[in-house]
Amino acid sequence: MSAEPFDAVVVGAGHNGLACAAYLAAAGMSVCVVERRPIVGGAAVTEEFHPGFRNSTASYTVSLLAPQVIAELDLARHGLTIVKRPLANFLPLRGNAYLKVGGGLAATQAEVAKFSGRDAERLPAYYAMLSRVADVLRVLLHKTPPNFGARRGARVGLALDAWKAAKPFRALDQAGQRDVLDLFTKSAGEILDRWFESAPIKAAFGFDAVVGNFQSPYAPGSAYVLLHHVFGEVNGERGQWGHAIGGMGAITQAMARECIARGVTIRTRSPVARVIVDNGRATGVEIERGETIAARRVVANVNPKLLFGRLLDASDVDADFRTRIEGYRCASGTFRMNIALSALPDFKCLPGTTAQPHHGSGIIVAPSLGYMERAYFDARQHGWSRAPIVEMLIPSVVDDSLAPRGMHVASLFCQHANPRIGDTLPGHTWDDHRDEVADLMIDTVDAVAPNFRRSVLGRRVLTPLDLEREFGLIGGDIFHGALALDQLYSTRPVLGNADYRMPIKGLYLCGSGAHPGGGVTGIPGRNAAREIIRDAKRPRRRGSLPRKREARL
């Protein structure tokens, strides 16, 4: 055991763990980050997957990364550059039909008008409604949720926190408040059917409701998943998506450089075997090879089920909390692929292998909400969707550092693959069907771009099981837990422990299993650091973050 304990040891060098560590170090704390894999970044990494071809391995596109995190951690100074997609989305449809979304309101309206003049007219009002609700969400993202059910703290303080949290909601008119309620509780399908009549625009918007969400777009609560994907921005433009030059690893490498500049110790190839609990308090971690790292507090950037199910003894928490964590839902229908290409896809509906704006967009192969719903139920019954949902991005269109000259890399984000495949195919695991389903995904793209299969030079495939084994994403869940009403805000991960403080003294949660949930945001790490610093100031510690700087958090 180290002679002098660190002020904090962070378990997991994903983006939230690195962000949290950087903020803690700025407060004068000694911080050690331990990471199982040989590189930092968690699921936000860039790796070579075929000779000469690099791409973002798991997470694959940028929008939700908080501007505050980018600025406060000096990520641009450390080399982070984000470029906006030329178009938001492109949907190749039957025959020669297609829909392009993006390039300005007028351009999108003209595209939508090909299918419905009424829908084109309603588009500005829909965007305005979504923007108003997203503004409420943006305020809540950076607030520690009122910790209902907690024993700590005075009831007056809790009531005040709840009153403050409700302020942006109270500022809306009645129609706006109803929209908030709808988007937090209803299905995406129900809302989109109410707004629009044409299938393509509903599919373009509804795709966000099934991203990483193993559900039908008509499942209650799926509208929130849609909302969760629209609060972001790229270079100050709200609602936009983009690419980090160099892949998603550019984000976490920039964070790691800032951590090192602030004095953080980062240790890779250091898998944690257990969190050490002594007399009811977390006092460090034990590495699998037997080494112990002592710390005054432990900050976990891992899925709550992994933390309490694998890294802690059952006796460390009470029976009710343990039962709640066992019931915490983690399941994503994600089947992730990286593809090395000799040429760009040549779409039937919009031919050409020279880079065009639609090649740089999010290319969605899923023509309707009904198609998406059938894909979900097929996966529930069969193990995977035989007519799957595929989103393809080709980041090399805007970033030529990822592939050899004249060649490209594609990210395929595919739905749905049942993470519990053994329930439908007893005795089978995803290792038995990885290549079979990967071929299906390629064939699905090939059906709309017939040169796709013959352009494939190499691929890397990540099933839900691979995502769990390689990145600790339990059930392949990219969000560290379903984004459902009973697992959001004051109930994430468990009612009474939503303020980043876990039921063991000195143990904190800073990952996507804490508020506000998943996506490459850095916000859980930032928020958790604020609460850890507050606790460390009781009584005030030497070297703590000056009050003026702390206000930035």
Side-chain angles (χ1 to χ4, degrees), residues 16 19 23 63-72 134-146 164-165 168 224 228 231-233 238 489 498-500 514-517 520-531 534 550-553:
N16 278 312
Y23 284 114
S63 174
L64 308 183
L65 184 63
Q68 297 91 328
V69 172
I70 294 173
E72 293 163 3
D135 283 344
V136 173
L137 181 59
R138 288 186 184 99
V139 174
L140 297 179
L141 294 174
H142 296 277
K143 303 291 185 183
T144 299
K164 290 177 180 178
Y224 176 78
H228 191 84
F231 69 73
E233 61 183 69
R238 288 187 169 183
Y489 202 48
D499 61 355
Y500 309 97
H515 172 73
V520 181
T521 71
I523 299 173
R526 182 178 188 267
N527 288 356
R530 179 180 61 239
E531 299 307 316
R534 283 176 177 169
E550 184 187 25
R552 291 184 3 177
L553 299 180

Side-chain angles (χ1 to χ4, degrees), residues 124-258:
Y126 175 79
Y127 282 149
M129 178 276 293
L130 210 56
S131 179
R132 285 194 300 272
V133 179
D135 283 344
V136 173
L137 181 59
R138 288 186 184 99
V139 174
L140 297 179
L141 294 174
H142 296 277
K143 303 291 185 183
T144 299
N147 204 28
F148 298 108
R151 294 179 181 178
R152 68 176 73 86
R155 291 185 179 182
V156 172
L158 181 60
L160 182 60
D161 287 343
W163 176 257
K164 290 177 180 178
K167 184 177 179 180
F169 179 78
R170 297 195 312 271
L172 295 172
D173 61 18
Q174 188 176 68
Q177 292 177 355
R178 289 169 175 166
D179 288 334
V180 170
L181 182 62
D182 284 352
L183 281 163
F184 274 75
T185 60
K186 294 183 183 298
S187 76
E190 181 181 358
I191 289 174
L192 291 169
D193 284 344
R194 191 173 69 201
W195 273 93
F196 303 110
E197 62 184 10
S198 59
I201 192 61
K202 288 191 283 187
F205 292 150
F207 171 76
D208 282 340
V210 300
V211 171
N213 183 27
F214 189 45
Q215 282 188 326
S216 160
Y218 285 96
S222 59
Y224 176 78
V225 184
L226 183 158
L227 177 66
H228 191 84
H229 284 92
V230 302
F231 69 73
E233 61 183 69
V234 171
N235 300 331
E237 291 188 55
R238 288 187 169 183
Q240 301 295 321
W241 286 84
H243 294 286
I245 298 299
M248 297 297 283
I251 297 172
T252 47
Q253 289 298 316
M255 287 180 169
R257 293 186 192 104
E258 182 63 13

Side-chain angles (χ1 to χ4, degrees), residues 467-490:
L467 291 170
E468 178 169 328
R469 287 189 298 213
E470 294 199 32
F471 301 106
L473 302 177
I474 304 301
D477 196 319
I478 65 173
F479 298 132
H480 283 200
L483 298 178
L485 193 59
D486 63 330
Q487 294 188 176
L488 288 173
Y489 202 48
S490 290

Side-chain angles (χ1 to χ4, degrees), residues 93-111:
L93 302 168
R94 287 184 179 179
N96 295 324
Y98 60 85
L99 173 69
K100 292 188 288 187
V101 177
L105 176 61
T108 303
Q109 283 182 293
E111 286 284 312

